[in-house]
Amino acid sequence: MNKYTKTSSFLQNQFDDLSSKEKNDFLRDLESFLKDQDSAYYGSNISNISDAEYDRLKLLYHKLVTNNPELIDSNYSNSVGFKPSDKFEKVNHKVPMLSLSNIFDNEGVTDFIERVRRYLSLGPNDNLEIVSEPKIDGLSATLIYINGNLHIGATRGDGSQGENVTQNIKTISNIPHEIKDSDVPDILEIRGEIYMKKSDFFELNERMQKEGKQTYVNPRNTASGSLRHLDVNVTKSRKLYFFAYTWGEISSIDAASHFEMLGLFKKWGFDVNPYTKVNYNYDDIIRSYEDLNEIRSSLDYDLDGVVYKVNSLAYQDRLGFISRSPRWAMAHKFPSEKATTKILDIEIQVGRTGSLTPVAKLEPVNIGGVVVRNATLHNEDFIKGLNSEGERIRDGADIRIGDHVQIIRSGDVIPKVVDVNMKDRNKDSEKFIFPENCPICGSSAERELNESTGKISSVRRCTAGLYCNSQILGSLEFFVSRDAMNIEGFGGKTMELFYEMGFINEPGDIFTLQERQAQGEVDIISLEGWGELSMNNLFQSINERRSVSLDKFIYSLGIRHIGINNAKLISQQLTSVENLLSTLEKIRHDPGDALQIFIQNDGLGKVVISSFLSFLQNDKNVSILQNLLKYIRVTDVTNVISEDTAISGLSLVFTGKFNSMSRSEAKDQAERMGAKVLSSVSARTDILVIGEDPGSKIKKAEELGIRIIDEKEWMSLLDF
Ligand code: IVH
């Protein structure tokens, strides 16, 4: 008998005081109550209880099953209407979880090897071993063991912060909960890929189809959804697996090479991919790649390429990192999969920065297990049959509605049209005419002249800037997105809805929502699908993000050409938001002077700098930025530089050839020790470091009376 008949009877219960049998009964009753609500709502579209009550009960259920996984005894949480929550606790990665740079051909392999050899200054007789590993198409995870016990399991998230999914990870059968080996380091963070087997994926989809439910797109997304499910029983039922391939924090390392380390992983009970191999030269590497490409379709898990890693850990240390990827590793992607289909229509989408992108609407086609309905056509020249250099592609064939075309897709990349079957072209078809006005706001859309190259851009852009609706909404969606401000709760169509309702017109409005709700100026609760609980959750997510680092702040503004790395470089230059504001002032008085601030930063290109400065020159942008700063605190960027070295704070220039290390390694070393490395000698240079054949810089340095040191002296400074 169900003794709970209404919401309040569930909410008022003191669950923790119940016996285990009573707890079990309570959960079953709660499930059945929620199920009734679901079927009333989804089946007949009626609600017996308010949205707020429903939300509260769902949250209670989530909390109870998360805290008491042993009491889960149903597949209720897998049924319609139960969405995985985005409310996992966050975990900061002590060692960031990096990504890999990609190469697509054998030339990339040669470049990679040469770059590594040059950086390490290896001679022709020095060996360089490269490990090749399959690149598993799943999701990366990190497992922290303390004294051999699995303590935390987390997702990669944005690389710096992931989600704590320990309970879910513990359901994966080939992840040890305990490492019994006596050699195991006290702190051991194992990293690798969680994946779903293809056979399990197909079986799951067959079952979903039989039950009349929506099928899943591919094993990778399903693995990701399954791992991040609040009901750990669902994760368990999905049968996920893990391959270990690297590590994060570790208290001691008893190995000299990556391959030896993988040997230890196996000894400790982890699965390491059996196709992992040490290669001794270029031919070996190419053979490993080709072998894997050949057996790829026969494996029961998806691969999207091969990962190469420098085997020696000493070399890995020296090579270090460049922005978000290690210099000692590279991903060699497999060729994309192809299919032929018909273009039903060509739509023009307006991007966040006003770019007009043509998208082909396709007759749905299955490519490698994924149904593709759209493909990018890049820009109007591409449709005409010209590349960005103005040269003919596809033998000059243009693309028309009704054409039969070849499509490729690989991994995350948006499907592309690569060729047109001219034989099948309908004789009455007409050339596609690209619009010269923005389809959203009607303003003129133009192709800019790039002043540094003298070329006309291939992209046509709406000229209305933040006055065009698509750009306002796009930039708001970008602002809250995960890599930007990371405000949860604006997913799906929420931002669009709030924008259409006039609740949010610019980023600053996000931070006044709660106050305006309290004042009765906006009414979120009455919106369809919203309740008090979901609204308060949104406010909480917003409030958690009232403090942000300068680099994230700059990135979140969504300025053209300013991705996460450029935002970092700019913020390192500016260090504080006060400096950003004074730069703003400077620009008003003397734009040329403001440019000088950035010119010395080696990593920032001219296009990036002028894009940043022209953003700051626009009045509307400035007012948006100033308004936003009323509500959030921007924390300074502290450059991670050593302060107590012989060269901290000094400006150095390197010239000539060095024997013990490459120029790039010398530059990195100097930066790690707190020095600034400039490309040319000026009055601001403190030291000129000369290798062999130093050239003209030496003369200039002598004229300016700058300290000049040779490679030997440089090496002794490093030991300081
Ligand atoms: S190593 C510091 N090895 O590929 C090196 N990654 O594109 C970090 N991946 O986020 C990664 N198989 O999710 C590495 N054998 C392998 C891999 C692998 C798959 C994934 C991983 C990573 C992504 C980078």
Side-chain angles (χ1 to χ4, degrees), residues 120 256 311-319:
L120 297 170
N311 197 17
S312 149
L313 298 187
Y315 282 171
Q316 285 192 6
D317 259 359
R318 283 177 61 192
L319 286 156

Side-chain angles (χ1 to χ4, degrees), residues 302-521:
D302 278 329
L303 306 186
D304 60 346
V306 181
V307 181
Y308 304 133
K309 295 175 182 170
V310 170
N311 197 17
S312 149
L313 298 187
Y315 282 171
Q316 285 192 6
D317 259 359
R318 283 177 61 192
L319 286 156
F321 304 90
I322 183 150
S323 65
R324 305 289 294 161
S325 336
R327 229 188 239 105
W328 46 264
M330 189 60 79
H332 189 174
K333 302 297 276 270
F334 285 137
S336 330
E337 299 177 83
K338 283 188 188 158
T340 300
T341 187
K342 188 177 161 188
I343 298 189
L344 303 176
D345 196 7
I346 296 177
E347 268 181 25
I348 306 292
Q349 291 181 352
V350 186
R352 188 173 54 76
T353 53
S355 52
L356 269 52
T357 306
V359 175
K361 299 299 203 184
L362 307 168
E363 209 159 70
V365 58
N366 188 317
I367 313 183
V370 175
V371 179
V372 173
R373 293 187 166 81
N374 302 305
T376 179
L377 296 173
H378 310 280
N379 54 56
E380 64 189 286
D381 284 351
F382 183 83
I383 296 182
K384 280 185 195 150
L386 300 171
N387 69 10
S388 56
E389 304 295 318
E391 297 154 354
R392 277 154 56 101
I393 47 174
R394 307 183 297 266
D395 281 336
D398 67 319
I399 295 175
R400 303 177 181 190
I401 296 171
D403 275 349
H404 291 264
V405 288
Q406 223 174 60
I407 312 286
I408 58 163
R409 91 163 254 285
S410 65
D412 273 339
V413 184
I414 310 165
K416 289 182 179 137
V417 170
V418 284
D419 214 349
V420 185
N421 295 353
M422 292 302 281
K423 283 199 303 262
D424 298 335
R425 175 170 280 178
N426 185 335
K427 291 192 185 56
D428 305 329
S429 71
E430 287 172 16
K431 270 194 185 320
F432 180 76
I433 299 172
F434 203 91
E436 294 188 354
N437 289 82
C438 169
I440 304 287
C441 71
S443 308
S444 150
E446 283 162 24
R447 297 176 62 165
E448 294 165 11
L449 174 75
N450 181 331
E451 281 170 19
S452 53
T453 61
K455 281 191 197 148
I456 302 271
S457 162
S458 46
V459 180
R460 197 174 275 280
R461 236 171 254 284
C462 165
T463 49
L466 286 177
Y467 294 96
C468 171
N469 284 355
S470 76
Q471 292 172 67
I472 301 177
L473 178 59
S475 62
L476 285 168
E477 284 171 339
F478 179 78
F479 182 80
V480 295
S481 64
R482 195 170 75 167
D483 286 342
M485 292 292 284
N486 192 14
I487 304 180
E488 286 176 354
F490 277 113
K493 298 254 169 219
T494 301
M495 185 57 91
E496 197 175 328
L497 178 67
F498 281 26
Y499 174 68
E500 273 166 10
M501 296 292 297
F503 294 177
I504 295 177
N505 291 308
E506 58 174 85
D509 295 342
I510 295 169
F511 298 95
T512 57
L513 263 185
Q514 187 167 10
E515 200 189 316
R516 286 183 290 141
Q517 173 75 29
Q519 306 281 338
E521 290 168 30

